[in-house]
Amino acid sequence: MFKIMINPEHGGTDGGAAYGGLVEKTLNFKAAKYCCDYLEDYDCTAFLSRETDRDMGISERLSLLKKEGANAVVTVAHNAGGGDGCEVFYWQGDTKSKAFANVLEKQYKAIGQNSRGVKISSESAYNFGMVREPSKNGIIAILSEFAFLDNAADRKMVDSDEDLKRQGEAIAKAVIEYFGLKKKEPSKPESPTEPETPSKPENENLYRVGTGWSNGKCLGQKGAFAVYENAINFCKELGEKYKVFDGSGREVYPADNASSDSDASPYAGMAIKLSGAKLYGSASATTPSNTVTGTYYLYDGENIGGRYRITTLKERCGKTPIGKNVTGYVDASAIGAASGSVGSSSTSPAPSAPYAGMAVKLSGVKLYGSASATTPANTITGTYYLYDGENIGDRYRITTSKERCGKEPVGSNVTGYIDADLVKA
């Protein structure tokens, strides 16, 4: 199967260019991640050179490229130093990489970016190691510089997640076009399923797995189960956007307090908040390879030598190959579990007043573009989270995921404002 590495440039202490509140390493990673996400539906294997914000030298990137046996690599970067538009580089004399670069340039133009051209990287000019070395080893390689961060107009093309998603998908579309990739055949779940068309429950006692509930119907239904635990396990397999509803349409999984239940044992997909936790490369390693801070997820919930495997995204839990989906190992004590066996998680109870990260379930609620707006921009339904828990003009800012709460820039992470009386402590 065709395999490609998407290589977000910079990371860790090397932030790259930084202007107008934007930091290159973050833009590179987000665009690269969106590219990989888009390629998941195609007949290929796309993987990131780095899954976290860490320092990573060119030798390590090249080593990973060769170890994984990738056929191609795209290095994702953003520019600075005066100018505007995109540039795509390939190694001198490499006709295949040049042709690939031309396809990417075309995709960038299609989303409205100016082009400074497809350019040659050589020993004497633009000597980029991530095009030079792969090309010399017969691996198709290009380096993309999408926008100039020191150019105000260019910054507007990358200052939101929507912009970076558009950029990442443009890269993915270039990969699909040049390498002739086909969409994967839809796989059928092994568990018994019912039609996805919304239908009224025939048995009110069944637990239904779907994406939502409206007018007595389970939307996007994937299955119905008499046993609650079976419904939850199937829901976990399908991914984060699916939920479990009882016969009355009440969402029973995931519960807002699922990861803070003091009697809950560690399980695959369990969210854990880490602060300066030691990260190990294996269950037996004696020296940590790094320290990690933020929200991670248990890969499989198995205690291996007093440690648990963690990953950065819920959808990676349990996925193979392990090497691509597991970030590393943390001590059981870091997640509040007993060192020698599966224990219990320990987190502080949520404060009673509205707080950052508090989940709010909304149904047909008016969404405003600011605290003072008189006309709603939209109406929304579903589970959202308070961005910072601050009451601003009798409204609260909300966002779509806990990970976005409190994150800068505000414009990229806040979905909008809702009236304060909709938020109940």
Side-chain angles (χ1 to χ4, degrees):
M1 180 181 284
F2 174 77
K3 188 179 286 191
I4 185 166
M5 183 170 94
I6 309 300
N7 177 42
E9 192 60 282
H10 306 293
T13 58
D14 175 17
Y19 293 89
L22 301 179
V23 180
E24 185 187 358
K25 67 176 181 179
T26 303
L27 305 184
N28 296 346
F29 181 80
K30 285 187 175 183
K33 179 67 171 62
Y34 282 126
C35 174
C36 279
D37 289 346
Y38 194 90
L39 289 173
E40 281 186 1
D41 291 333
Y42 287 81
D43 197 17
C44 69
T45 298
F47 64 97
L48 294 168
S49 59
R50 63 176 176 88
E51 293 280 359
T52 58
D53 180 17
R54 68 183 184 89
D55 290 289
M56 192 176 190
I58 188 170
S59 60
E60 186 180 356
R61 296 173 195 263
L62 291 169
S63 177
L64 177 64
L65 181 69
K66 293 175 183 177
K67 176 185 174 184
E68 294 294 336
N71 308 98
V73 56
V74 178
T75 295
V76 180
H78 292 78
N79 226 331
D84 75 291
C86 66
E87 300 174 332
V88 187
F89 296 86
Y90 69 95
W91 189 247
Q92 60 182 357
D94 187 342
T95 56
K96 291 182 179 179
S97 294
K98 179 181 179 181
F100 183 23
N102 283 323
V103 175
L104 179 54
E105 181 200 29
K106 181 184 74 173
Q107 290 293 342
Y108 280 166
K109 286 181 178 179
I111 62 173
Q113 180 58 299
N114 300 325
S115 175
R116 295 164 61 87
V118 170
K119 298 185 177 182
I120 297 172
S121 174
S122 67
E123 300 283 358
S124 58
Y126 305 120
N127 191 354
F128 297 122
M130 281 306 295
V131 292
R132 181 188 66 241
E133 295 304 317
S135 181
K136 288 183 176 180
N137 283 276
I139 300 170
I140 295 174
I142 60 175
L143 183 147
S144 150
E145 299 269 13
F146 180 70
F148 281 76
L149 301 189
D150 54 350
N151 179 304
D154 262 18
R155 280 200 301 275
K156 290 181 180 178
M157 299 196 73
V158 293
D159 65 355
S160 71
D161 282 357
E162 290 76 13
D163 291 328
L164 295 169
K165 185 171 188 283
R166 189 160 45 248
Q167 179 193 347
E169 291 183 353
I171 299 171
K173 289 173 183 177
V175 173
I176 293 163
E177 179 180 342
Y178 182 73
F179 294 101
L181 303 181
K182 304 295 182 184
K183 266 204 167 184
K184 292 177 182 175
E185 292 292 329
S187 57
K188 295 181 180 179
E190 294 181 3
S191 303
T193 63
E194 293 184 5
E196 287 194 38
T197 305
S199 58
K200 187 160 185 173
E202 296 176 1
N203 186 332
E204 295 297 329
N205 295 321
L206 291 177
Y207 293 99
R208 297 176 182 273
V209 179
T211 56
W213 191 279
S214 177
N215 297 323
K217 299 176 183 179
C218 183
L219 307 179
Q221 183 171 305
K222 286 289 187 179
F225 301 81
V227 180
Y228 175 62
E229 288 77 10
N230 291 345
I232 290 177
N233 290 335
F234 184 50
C235 185
K236 289 177 182 177
E237 290 176 12
L238 291 175
E240 197 167 15
K241 73 175 182 177
Y242 289 91
K243 303 174 176 65
V244 178
F245 302 89
D246 65 14
S248 65
R250 182 171 62 93
E251 183 185 321
V252 294
Y253 179 85
D256 291 338
N257 64 350
S259 63
S260 61
D261 183 353
S262 60
D263 296 323
S265 296
Y267 58 89
M270 175 178 171
I272 54 171
K273 291 186 178 179
L274 304 174
S275 179
K278 294 177 181 178
L279 184 73
Y280 297 88
S282 69
S284 58
T286 56
T287 304
S289 57
N290 203 350
T291 58
V292 288
T293 296
T295 300
Y296 290 80
Y297 301 87
L298 297 190
Y299 174 72
D300 54 7
E302 294 182 13
N303 186 311
I304 306 173
R307 288 179 184 159
Y308 287 89
R309 292 184 284 197
I310 61 170
T311 185
T312 53
L313 299 170
K314 240 185 185 180
E315 49 265 36
R316 294 184 181 276
C317 297
K319 278 195 175 180
T320 56
I322 292 173
K324 289 184 187 176
N325 293 291
V326 168
T327 303
Y329 294 69
V330 294
D331 290 329
S333 59
I335 65 167
S339 180
S341 61
V342 174
S344 61
S345 61
S346 61
T347 57
S348 301
S352 57
Y355 57 93
M358 176 179 169
V360 287
K361 291 185 179 179
L362 308 174
S363 179
V365 166
K366 293 176 181 178
L367 182 74
Y368 297 89
S370 70
S372 58
T374 56
T375 304
N378 203 351
T379 58
I380 53 175
T381 296
T383 300
Y384 290 80
Y385 301 87
L386 298 190
Y387 174 72
D388 54 6
E390 293 183 14
N391 186 314
I392 306 173
D394 277 337
R395 286 181 184 161
Y396 286 94
R397 292 183 287 191
I398 61 169
T399 185
T400 53
S401 69
K402 276 190 177 180
E403 290 73 21
R404 293 181 182 273
C405 296
K407 279 196 173 179
E408 298 286 348
V410 174
S412 297
N413 292 288
V414 168
T415 304
Y417 293 70
I418 59 171
D419 289 330
D421 58 7
L422 296 168
V423 180
K424 297 179 181 179

